[in-house]
Amino acid sequence: MLPWIQLDSATIPGEGGELRLKQRGSEFSIMLGANELMNSRLSGSEEALATLSWERIKAHPKPRILIGGLGMGFTLRAALAVLPGDASVTVAELVPAVVAWARGPMAEVFKGCLDDPRVGIHEGDVGEAIRAGKGGYDAILLDVDNGPDGLTRESNDRLYDFAGLRAARDALRRGGVLAVWSSGQDPAFTRRLGDSGFFVDVVNTRAGRKRGARHVIWLAVKSTG
């Protein structure tokens, strides 16, 4: 079996912690300590984050999408595959090196999606983009951590508390959807979404296509009241 080779590392701004990009043949992995955050062979649940969100907003004209976390581009590519030509997608990525990896060693994984004219990159905290987006988005897709219980940065927890959910709701247009990826269930977060003015569906999905670990996606639609 081919050995893993570390290609690069990057410090997470604000709170430290180090991301490591590794490669084994054509397979890539991004690690935080002993935890694998993502793997290029497992994209099913990240793709579902985009396609399930699109089902909720496909009647919206000229949709505007905010994606929190570039990762390996699976959510972005899945969104671009279903969005119309007049859509716009902003990807907020906190770690500049992740964007550089997408254009460098992982260019084959990304398949040029960052060059799509519908795409813009915000190198910074997705929370900032949410707070600045008053009523501007049809969908906000969050895959910035292992879920509502932050792993990479403690400050990510602020995205999922009541204040963070109110900010997300304010940033959405009527009928917009907040979609959140997680490695596992969190009943308290489900209740918090409902208490914050969302109609909530919880979907279980596989990490890979019909295989791999089970992940969770919350689809929270902004109520019109």
Side-chain angles (χ1 to χ4, degrees):
M1 180 176 290
L2 291 172
W4 283 104
I5 300 171
Q6 181 167 316
L7 301 181
D8 198 8
S9 63
T11 300
I12 300 171
E15 296 178 13
E18 184 181 72
L19 297 181
R20 292 178 291 123
L21 175 64
K22 301 172 67 176
Q23 182 178 10
R24 180 174 64 185
S26 60
E27 180 182 3
F28 292 89
S29 174
I30 296 179
M31 305 284 296
L32 175 68
N35 296 300
E36 184 176 63
L37 298 181
M38 58 202 79
N39 185 291
S40 61
R41 296 176 60 191
L42 298 171
S43 61
S45 59
E46 287 87 352
E47 293 168 353
L49 184 66
T51 55
L52 292 172
S53 298
W54 171 242
E55 287 298 315
R56 270 73 179 172
I57 65 162
K58 59 185 179 182
H60 293 209
K62 296 182 179 180
R64 291 188 64 205
I65 312 299
L66 174 63
I67 297 176
L70 177 60
M72 293 187 174
F74 296 126
T75 298
L76 174 60
R77 286 175 54 197
L80 293 174
V82 294
L83 287 168
D86 60 359
S88 64
V89 183
T90 299
V91 181
E93 174 52 56
L94 182 68
V95 184
V98 173
V99 181
W101 296 343
R103 297 189 183 280
M106 289 198 295
E108 181 59 30
V109 176
F110 278 79
K111 300 186 182 300
C113 65
L114 295 185
D115 298 321
D116 190 297
R118 294 171 290 177
V119 176
I121 300 294
H122 168 76
E123 289 192 3
D125 190 338
V126 67
E128 297 173 356
I130 289 172
R131 291 188 292 273
K134 299 288 186 180
Y137 295 109
D138 296 281
I140 298 171
L141 282 52
L142 296 181
D143 183 11
V144 298
D145 216 315
N146 258 26
D149 185 14
L151 173 66
T152 61
R153 300 172 76 221
E154 289 184 8
S155 61
N156 283 339
D157 293 342
R158 294 199 294 266
L159 295 170
Y160 309 113
D161 62 18
F162 279 112
L165 294 178
R166 283 196 299 270
R169 189 179 186 278
D170 290 344
L172 289 169
R173 295 171 177 166
R174 179 177 296 183
V177 62
L178 170 65
V180 178
W181 182 97
S182 176
S183 61
Q185 294 280 356
D186 189 333
F189 181 61
T190 303
R191 292 192 296 271
R192 199 153 63 243
L193 282 166
D195 292 340
S196 299
F198 290 99
F199 298 114
V200 186
D201 285 330
V202 184
V203 178
N204 294 301
T205 185
R206 290 282 193 181
R209 294 178 177 85
K210 299 182 180 180
R211 65 185 180 89
R214 290 188 180 275
H215 295 156
V216 176
I217 295 172
W218 285 272
L219 296 159
V221 177
K222 180 178 178 178
S223 64
T224 57

